[in-house]
Amino acid sequence: MLVLGIETTCDETGAAVVERPPQGPGRILANVVLSQIEAHAAFGGVVPEIAARAHVEALDLIIAKAMGEAGKTFAELDGVAAAAGPGLIGGVIVGLTTAKAIALVAEKPLIAVNHLEAHALTARLTDATPFPYCLFLASGGHTQIVAVLGVGNYVRLGTTVDDAIGEAFDKVAKLLGLPYPGGPQVEREALTGNPARFSLPRPMLGRPHADFSLSGLKTALRVEADKVAPLSEADVRDLCASFQQSVVEVVADRLRAGLKMFREAYGKPSALVAAGGVAANQAIRKVLHQVAFETGTVLVVPPAALCTDNGVMIAWAGAERLALGLTDTLDAAPHARWPLQDVRGPASEEVVLETAAASDAEASRPAAFEDG
Ligand code: KG4
Ligand code: ZN
């Protein structure tokens, strides 16, 4: 099953061609991503109108490049997938409308993919991870712990009550005068900083639910920064390290709570899966390993390039849905808001548990996807 995937929900214009075999992991034939970081950097964040215009200008070429790299024509595709939300509506309209045009002209089925579902299913492309698994999705717009029970069958176990983790990293960076996007900058500064110098809160630590809260932490950091202002380079490094340390401890605690909720409701997950741009952070990766080890859970962290926004995950989610006959009509609507729980699955709603196949999937993990 060969699918073209288009991603335009935020500040990356992505197109990819992915093949889904009847079993096992997927094959990436092409993955083209154009980041708009430079267009937005001067504004310290993504400007929706600039993003939409940049998608319009780049998308046709990016799709042509992806098709060329894959060595395929539209006629050879089995389906055309685009992220139909959630995201910045201008960009979503650009990607979805383009996919509809290709689907119409090439007479291929359209798959309107939920961007969060695409993050959630990426582990099945890289590692053939069987259902059910526990997903930790942490990006600029979302922070959730989700029970992934099947395609279109998602139960949210925890979420942030205020800022997303990536958003908190970005805001902290801005506050400390570091460039956008802030996550990688804060991580770099934290590497050589002292995580014990500033005493910051650990919001939600020890709570029985699996929710997050980040805004108080950010405010506490601002108070500490104000106390020592003007900031030296060492102050910035120590503030970043202290902030990241707090986030890491909170993530570990919330994941322990989420995994406990998962086991109580659905039994042992086949894996703990990480997704979203924040999963590129090495300190967070390390704590994911620790929690997985402690709880005897297999950990699946796709390579960083597949954790941040890309067309591959859209193509793969499209292929997974197409394989189940879940296609969309050409009047499929773009959504600015589209909670994961509202995504529909197969009509029978039968939850297919594939846990028995988990060890096979582990054994067949392709070397190409090993994360260095
Ligand atoms: O998934 P993604 O590429 O886009 C969204 O859907 O939001 O995630 C981007 C977010 C940004 O907030 C960025 O600062 C954060 O992920 N991020 C990081 C790191 N790399 C990206 N946060 C912490 N450490 C990183 N290394
Ligand atoms: Zn994303």
Side-chain angles (χ1 to χ4, degrees):
M1 195 155 277
L2 194 70
V3 175
L4 166 68
I6 297 170
E7 161 59 35
T8 54
T9 64
C10 193
D11 59 347
E12 328 272 354
T13 314
V17 181
V18 168
E19 194 175 85
R20 181 185 184 276
Q23 275 177 338
R27 203 160 80 84
I28 301 169
L29 278 71
N31 177 22
V32 184
V33 181
L34 179 74
S35 173
Q36 303 176 4
I37 282 175
E38 280 171 20
H40 301 290
F43 305 93
V46 179
V47 185
E49 181 62 12
I50 293 177
R53 282 168 192 271
H55 287 306
V56 170
E57 281 164 20
L59 188 56
D60 286 0
L61 270 171
I62 294 216
I63 292 171
K65 189 156 185 262
M67 296 303 296
E69 278 179 20
K72 301 286 181 188
T73 62
F74 290 149
E76 289 172 281
L77 296 171
D78 294 300
V80 183
L88 301 173
I89 197 68
V92 175
I93 291 171
V94 172
L96 185 57
T97 308
T98 306
K100 285 176 181 178
I102 297 168
L104 180 67
V105 171
E107 298 182 15
K108 302 293 174 184
L110 170 79
I111 309 105
V113 169
N114 178 295
H115 176 93
L116 303 174
E117 173 171 51
H119 276 303
L121 297 176
T122 301
R124 292 171 57 76
L125 158 82
T126 58
D127 292 65
T129 305
F131 299 122
Y133 54 85
C134 185
L135 171 76
F136 173 52
L137 171 61
S139 68
H142 303 273
T143 296
Q144 298 185 4
I145 300 176
V146 179
V148 180
L149 305 176
V151 173
N153 194 348
Y154 312 102
V155 179
R156 197 172 70 193
L157 302 174
T159 187
T160 178
V161 298
D162 40 58
D163 294 349
I165 297 181
E167 184 182 0
F169 268 91
D170 293 337
K171 285 181 177 172
V172 162
K174 203 166 179 178
L175 198 122
L176 299 177
L178 300 169
Y180 169 84
Q185 299 287 337
V186 171
E187 179 177 15
R188 195 167 310 131
E189 296 292 324
L191 269 180
T192 50
N194 174 6
R197 175 162 162 214
F198 295 99
S199 141
L200 297 173
R202 273 44 174 169
M204 299 289 194
L205 206 76
R207 301 282 180 91
H209 56 67
D211 287 340
F212 292 78
S213 170
L214 276 306
S215 76
L217 176 56
K218 180 195 65 202
T219 308
L221 182 123
R222 186 197 307 267
V223 170
E224 292 300 319
D226 285 347
K227 280 189 208 162
V228 293
L231 301 178
S232 69
E233 284 180 10
D235 292 336
V236 170
R237 288 196 294 269
D238 294 346
L239 283 163
C240 287
S242 301
F243 167 77
Q244 186 171 277
Q245 181 58 30
S246 174
V247 172
V248 159
E249 286 178 31
V250 166
V251 165
D253 180 72
R254 306 292 67 215
L255 282 177
R256 285 187 196 106
L259 282 166
K260 184 161 179 280
M261 287 168 74
F262 190 109
R263 277 192 300 272
E264 283 165 7
Y266 310 107
K268 190 174 158 56
S270 75
L272 170 62
V273 170
V278 176
N281 182 292
Q282 293 301 330
I284 288 180
R285 284 181 170 234
K286 206 167 135 195
V287 84
L288 290 174
H289 276 282
Q290 194 182 316
V291 171
F293 179 75
E294 254 171 42
T295 56
T297 315
V298 172
L299 178 68
V300 176
V301 187
L306 296 182
C307 284
T308 52
D309 292 348
N310 62 81
V312 169
M313 66 180 194
I314 306 298
W316 175 260
E320 290 251 54
R321 297 186 68 80
L322 186 58
L324 293 168
L326 297 168
T327 59
D328 296 273
T329 50
L330 290 179
D331 61 355
H335 307 276
R337 250 193 101 260
W338 188 5
L340 196 46
Q341 299 90 285
D342 293 355
V343 174
R344 66 188 178 88
S348 64
E349 284 297 18
E350 274 287 309
V351 180
V352 185
L353 301 186
E354 300 174 346
T355 311
S359 47
D360 296 352
E362 257 301 284
S364 69
R365 184 184 165 119
F369 290 112
E370 287 296 347
D371 181 57

